[in-house]
Amino acid sequence: MKKYILVSLLMILNVVSFCQQTTISLQAKQPDYLKRSKNQQKIATILLLSGPVLIVAPLLIASGLKNGGDAAYYAMAAGFLTFPASITMFIIASGNQKKPCSFR
């Protein structure tokens, strides 16, 4: 009798633990999009402000160096690449900001 109880409990445990969720929420809520948009705008602003810093700082530091300075060119290139990245992030953030209006 103990064997039957043990086997039945193990079977019930297996069935319950490997079942899939039956109710799935597919719609995102409005605050999620607004929060995401706010975070993306912060990232875009940081990228926009870090671009000039990455362009000007290597010029100031490399002027005191006599030899080398390849890292300065890489930092300047990264500074120039932050501008298109920030523009892209602003566009994505505005798209997410407009999404909650489409639920109405």
Side-chain angles (χ1 to χ4, degrees):
M1 189 66 172
K2 289 182 183 180
K3 289 180 186 179
Y4 294 119
I5 294 173
L6 181 64
V7 169
S8 63
L9 286 176
L10 287 175
M11 292 296 288
I12 291 171
L13 180 66
N14 284 333
V15 169
V16 172
S17 64
F18 291 113
C19 288
Q20 292 182 355
Q21 183 180 1
T22 56
T23 57
I24 298 173
S25 175
L26 296 177
Q27 292 184 350
K29 297 179 179 122
Q30 290 181 359
D32 294 338
Y33 283 120
L34 295 177
K35 183 186 262 187
R36 184 184 300 171
S37 172
K38 186 177 178 182
N39 288 338
Q40 287 171 342
Q41 285 180 350
K42 282 182 189 176
I43 292 170
T45 304
I46 290 169
L47 283 173
L48 185 65
L49 296 176
S50 66
V53 172
L54 285 172
I55 294 170
V56 174
L59 292 174
L60 298 175
I61 294 170
S63 65
L65 300 175
K66 293 184 180 180
N67 295 333
D70 287 339
Y73 296 118
Y74 294 133
M76 289 176 61
F80 283 115
L81 291 176
T82 58
F83 291 119
S86 68
I87 292 170
T88 305
M89 287 301 294
F90 276 122
I91 292 170
I92 292 170
S94 69
N96 280 333
Q97 192 173 11
K98 293 175 185 176
K99 278 188 182 178
C101 296
S102 65
F103 285 122
R104 293 179 187 167

